[in-house]
Amino acid sequence: MFRSIILISFLSSFTVSAAVPLFQDITEEQFKGITREFSANFVHTAVTPPASLGDVFGIEIGVVGGITASDETNKVVNSIDSDTTVENIPHAAIMAQVSIPFGISLEATMFPETEQSDLSISTFSFAGKWTLTDSLIKIPFIDIAARFHMSSSEASFKTTDKVSDVPVDSEVVFDSSSWGANITIGANLFLIKPYAGLGYVSTDTDLSVAATSGTIFDTSFTSAQSASETHSGLQTILGAELDLFILHIGAEYSNLLDTSKYSMKVSIAI
């Protein structure tokens, strides 16, 4: 059931907010912008406040999804075909969180490897969270948590006859990984749990084309069929969760790598 929900969510948002991107003659500066936006989109988030799910044990499972602004990618795509826009890059996943004693929680998100038409995607991310106010320090109505996270993702799509530098139906592949850490502070107001955070993120992204000939890159940048880029920097987080006992609804804004990311969550927790 969850696989069907996230597949529909991802593909519908991709269809509505973007067409399959067209890449050709990508310069080094354009490459940095594209990889920055794609890698930011798949950095871990489970849209969880700093609070744990309970002093002894708790479990949460649901779906998370959203969009990441992609202004630089859109400029590149639109310059190739004025009828094609990629103003946002969507993300969606199954999410789960488990809390155990001493304020320790484990988070994970996953989009199972899925192919639909000319698009293929798979993602996985993991985080360990320590709610310091559960065990180390006690502050009424305040939660403070430290989190370390990692992610891995791959997205690919077929090229079209509008791209002349490579054969039709060649495959463009994004392969991205990330790691990071953050501190979040939130108010535990029973039903409403607003929070804010600050962290550091590092990503490593490879963009390549599987083609019998040609390349999607400007030859003044590289004549190869693949290139890699590392990005790193501060991350700011603002979010809130509505805790309706079993039902949890969350929303989160994050600014990372000079990119804005918006995410929402619907989950069941016990």
Side-chain angles (χ1 to χ4, degrees):
M1 180 181 69
F2 283 114
R3 181 187 175 98
S4 299
I5 292 172
I6 63 174
L7 177 59
I8 292 170
S9 299
F10 185 88
L11 293 176
S12 62
S13 61
F14 198 91
T15 301
V16 171
S17 65
V20 173
L22 303 175
F23 290 144
Q24 179 175 280
D25 298 328
I26 299 172
T27 66
E28 183 175 7
E29 182 179 357
Q30 291 173 332
F31 176 71
K32 290 179 178 180
I34 293 169
T35 54
R36 184 177 68 249
E37 292 169 348
F38 267 82
S39 61
N41 186 62
F42 296 114
V43 168
H44 172 83
T45 180
V47 193
T48 55
S52 65
L53 295 172
D55 294 335
V56 178
F57 180 78
I59 186 169
E60 176 183 14
I61 185 168
V63 292
V64 59
I67 57 173
T68 300
S70 54
D71 296 343
E72 296 303 314
T73 302
N74 188 53
K75 289 178 184 177
V76 175
V77 170
N78 198 241
S79 69
I80 298 170
D81 179 10
S82 59
D83 294 328
T84 302
T85 59
V86 184
E87 296 177 350
N88 302 291
I89 305 169
H91 56 271
I94 300 169
M95 65 79 58
Q97 179 182 196
V98 176
S99 293
I100 58 177
F102 306 110
I104 303 298
S105 299
L106 302 177
E107 303 172 352
T109 72
M110 179 181 68
F111 193 105
E113 185 174 358
T114 305
E115 294 186 11
Q116 180 71 20
S117 185
D118 292 334
L119 175 70
S120 175
I121 185 169
S122 64
T123 69
F124 176 78
S125 71
F126 172 83
K129 182 178 73 175
W130 180 26
T131 303
L132 286 71
T133 43
D134 276 8
S135 57
L136 190 63
I137 53 178
K138 297 287 185 179
I139 305 175
F141 305 109
I142 298 295
D143 294 303
I144 302 173
R147 180 188 284 106
F148 178 81
H149 57 86
M150 302 179 69
S151 75
S152 177
S153 61
E154 182 176 298
S156 65
F157 48 86
K158 300 292 186 180
T159 61
T160 73
D161 55 6
K162 294 180 181 180
V163 181
S164 59
D165 289 353
V166 295
V168 175
D169 291 333
S170 298
E171 189 175 43
V172 175
V173 181
F174 281 91
D175 192 347
S176 183
S177 62
S178 73
W179 68 270
N182 58 60
I183 295 286
T184 52
I185 301 174
N188 195 332
L189 306 178
F190 301 107
L191 293 181
I192 300 291
K193 298 177 180 178
Y195 59 93
L198 181 66
Y200 174 85
V201 170
S202 177
T203 66
D204 189 1
T205 303
D206 180 82
L207 173 59
S208 62
V209 57
T212 55
S213 63
T215 181
I216 58 174
F217 303 107
D218 189 305
T219 54
S220 64
F221 168 37
T222 178
S223 58
Q225 292 186 326
S226 66
S228 299
E229 185 67 31
T230 298
H231 299 281
S232 61
L234 293 178
Q235 177 185 23
T236 56
I237 302 167
L238 290 173
E241 181 182 81
L242 178 62
D243 185 346
L244 301 175
F245 302 102
I246 293 178
L247 178 66
H248 289 199
I249 301 172
E252 184 178 285
Y253 167 79
S254 177
N255 187 280
L256 65 164
L257 309 179
D258 296 322
T259 303
S260 293
K261 179 177 180 177
Y262 306 85
S263 303
M264 293 190 67
K265 174 192 72 175
V266 178
S267 63
I268 294 173
I270 56 175

